[in-house]
Amino acid sequence: MNNKRIDKKGYRVLAIVWTLAAASMAVAFVRRLAEFNLLLLLLLALSTLTASNFWKAYRRAPEVGGPSPLDAPPRPSTPLDSGRLPLGVELFADDEPMNHSNKDSEENTHE
């Protein structure tokens, strides 16, 4: 089995998800309070304990300096972001330049 370590951001996400699950179970339990349901009460207690444990793990987890796998990669800032090519940049490397300095070349003579 792969023992992959969870970073601090991962524990925070898990804690938030389990907190929302516990809140959902609390709402379900309160809505059915007139007809007591032991299963809902157990799920509420387990969700609350799990959320509490993840919040504790989040607080104890060391801060890591690397980027999270959930973060988007940095976007390069290029002149192409504006949609226009900068001056002097050719679109294709195999295109011939517009102004040729060598007029005697065999490629330039179209006879």
Side-chain angles (χ1 to χ4, degrees):
M1 180 169 269
N2 188 2
N3 275 341
K4 199 172 193 182
R5 302 294 300 172
I6 301 173
D7 62 347
K8 192 167 180 117
K9 289 181 182 182
Y11 280 120
R12 189 181 83 202
V13 169
L14 288 168
I16 290 171
V17 167
W18 278 102
T19 301
L20 292 174
S24 174
M25 294 310 300
V27 168
F29 181 75
V30 169
R31 288 183 74 181
R32 296 186 185 258
L33 200 55
E35 55 213 42
F36 182 77
N37 191 343
L38 184 61
L39 180 63
L40 284 177
L41 181 62
L42 289 175
L43 286 173
L44 171 62
L46 288 175
S47 297
T48 305
L49 286 174
T50 306
S52 173
N53 286 335
F54 277 122
W55 281 114
K56 287 177 187 175
Y58 166 69
R59 288 187 195 102
R60 283 182 284 160
E63 192 70 37
V64 291
S68 169
L70 301 177
D71 291 341
R75 202 172 147 204
S77 59
T78 63
L80 296 176
D81 287 341
S82 65
R84 290 177 279 156
L85 288 174
L87 294 175
V89 173
E90 296 179 23
L91 188 57
F92 299 102
D94 59 344
D95 285 348
E96 295 180 27
M98 294 299 280
N99 50 358
H100 297 289
S101 59
N102 188 1
K103 297 282 185 188
D104 297 334
S105 172
E106 186 179 341
E107 297 174 11
N108 294 332
T109 56
H110 301 284
E111 296 180 19

